[in-house]
Amino acid sequence: MNIRQQIWGVDPAIAKTRRARPVRSRRGGPRPGDSRVRPPKSRVPLPAKGEQLTFADAKTLGGPRPGSGRKEGHRPKVRHRKRPAHHYDNPVHVTMRRAKGLPSFRVDRLHGLLRGAIRATRRDGFRIVHYSIQNDHLHMLIEADDALRLTNGMKSFAVRVAMLVNHRVMGRRRGKVWGDSYHRRELTTPREVRNCLVYVLNNHLKHGEWEVGLVDPCSSARWFHGWMHRRVPIPPEADAGERAKTWLLDEGWSTVGLGWLHVGEVPRALWK
């Protein structure tokens, strides 16, 4: 008996039994003399000479699986990539989609909240000029002096809408309102701006909302001054959007194509 066993009163027989127990090594495999030996893993039998296995016979984790792939009606999300550089002379087309489970954005209560959020997001160097509110998404034409003001303005608008919808409509403190990151596209030529104006202001025709008329009440089309038809009445209340300051969105778009817009002009997506 050594000095440690004398101090602690350890029985030599017990100490010998403890030392005789098999101990698993740090690498995971059994040490020599360990009785707990794992059975060998099953392996895929190799094919005979001159024979080739099919994908169904191969027992691997890869390959096609039942139910894999893009589902029917699935819309891909915006990829998390670095956004393109922004120039202050170029308007930006922004698309934002709502999360699933929320009511339509075109109902009166939500439409009023979104217009109020657009009006409240006015800040120096960031302007929401035109907008179109649809059932599950929102289109906006935005101007910004630089990329930082554009990013901060979009964050402010998204957070403001989320707080208003959660508190006043859904009756909760928090919850998902936007289903994805916003999609952004720089408009660099007058033709691109004119096509985008047709797409945004007449977007309800693209989605089959014909019962509301040619001028969508859930957009800034009623305050737009570039219609060919002078009979489009302008509401007495002020518009939620701001006046354009860039040449492309103010008057440059009217120098190409048919010039001013027609109230029944169908967006290009329906022409295909």
Side-chain angles (χ1 to χ4, degrees):
M1 182 179 295
N2 55 24
I3 184 64
R4 182 177 297 179
Q5 294 172 355
Q6 294 177 3
I7 295 175
W8 295 98
V10 179
D11 189 1
I14 299 178
K16 184 178 180 180
T17 306
R18 291 179 178 176
R19 287 195 301 270
R21 290 181 178 178
V23 181
R24 187 177 298 275
S25 63
R26 294 185 178 181
R27 294 185 178 180
R31 288 187 174 182
D34 192 355
S35 60
R36 297 173 295 179
V37 180
R38 295 181 179 178
K41 295 183 179 180
S42 59
R43 299 180 179 273
V44 179
L46 297 177
K49 188 175 181 179
E51 183 182 356
Q52 184 177 0
L53 290 176
T54 62
F55 287 105
D57 297 331
K59 305 297 183 182
T60 61
L61 296 179
R65 301 178 304 277
S68 62
R70 182 176 296 178
K71 307 300 184 295
E72 185 69 22
H74 175 73
R75 184 186 298 272
K77 292 188 176 182
V78 179
R79 297 184 177 182
H80 293 275
R81 294 180 177 178
K82 184 178 180 180
R83 296 192 182 275
H86 172 67
H87 195 269
Y88 64 91
D89 284 338
N90 298 334
V92 181
H93 177 209
V94 174
T95 304
M96 306 179 69
R97 299 192 176 277
R98 66 166 173 82
K100 295 183 179 180
L102 295 180
S104 173
F105 279 170
R106 292 177 68 88
V107 298
D108 294 340
R109 191 172 186 182
L110 277 174
H111 174 220
L113 288 179
L114 289 173
R115 290 186 68 248
I118 292 174
R119 183 181 294 105
T121 315
R122 295 183 178 181
R123 54 176 58 198
D124 186 21
F126 179 83
R127 297 173 296 278
I128 301 177
V129 182
H130 296 295
Y131 62 91
S132 175
I133 302 173
Q134 301 304 317
N135 290 325
D136 59 349
H137 63 281
L138 169 69
H139 293 285
M140 293 185 295
L141 283 173
I142 298 175
E143 295 177 345
D145 293 350
D146 51 42
L148 181 60
R149 287 184 172 88
L150 177 60
T151 302
N152 293 338
M154 288 304 305
K155 287 182 179 179
S156 175
F157 175 76
V159 172
R160 179 175 285 108
V161 172
M163 294 178 63
L164 290 174
V165 172
N166 283 327
H167 179 66
R168 299 186 182 181
V169 179
M170 305 303 296
R172 59 190 184 186
R173 296 184 59 184
R174 63 183 64 183
K176 190 175 182 180
V177 174
W178 301 110
D180 194 6
S181 302
Y182 65 90
H183 179 268
R184 183 180 110 190
R185 180 191 175 193
E186 296 276 331
L187 307 176
T188 59
T189 63
R191 187 172 297 277
E192 285 183 346
V193 177
R194 189 188 186 281
N195 292 339
C196 193
L197 279 171
V198 175
Y199 186 83
V200 172
L201 299 181
N202 290 342
N203 195 257
H204 67 295
L205 302 180
K206 174 180 179 293
H207 297 284
E209 299 286 345
W210 299 93
E211 66 277 1
V212 298
L214 296 179
V215 179
D216 189 9
C218 296
S219 68
S220 58
R222 295 178 294 173
W223 293 272
F224 182 61
H225 295 277
W227 297 114
M228 295 181 183
H229 300 73
R230 298 291 184 178
R231 294 178 295 178
V232 177
I234 298 179
E237 64 270 13
D239 184 17
E242 297 187 71
R243 183 177 177 83
K245 294 184 179 181
T246 60
W247 177 80
L248 285 173
L249 194 54
D250 187 18
E251 59 181 7
W253 61 269
S254 60
T255 61
V256 296
L258 300 176
W260 286 9
L261 304 186
H262 192 281
V263 291
E265 192 169 350
V266 182
R268 186 174 298 273
L270 286 183
W271 297 351
K272 299 179 181 179

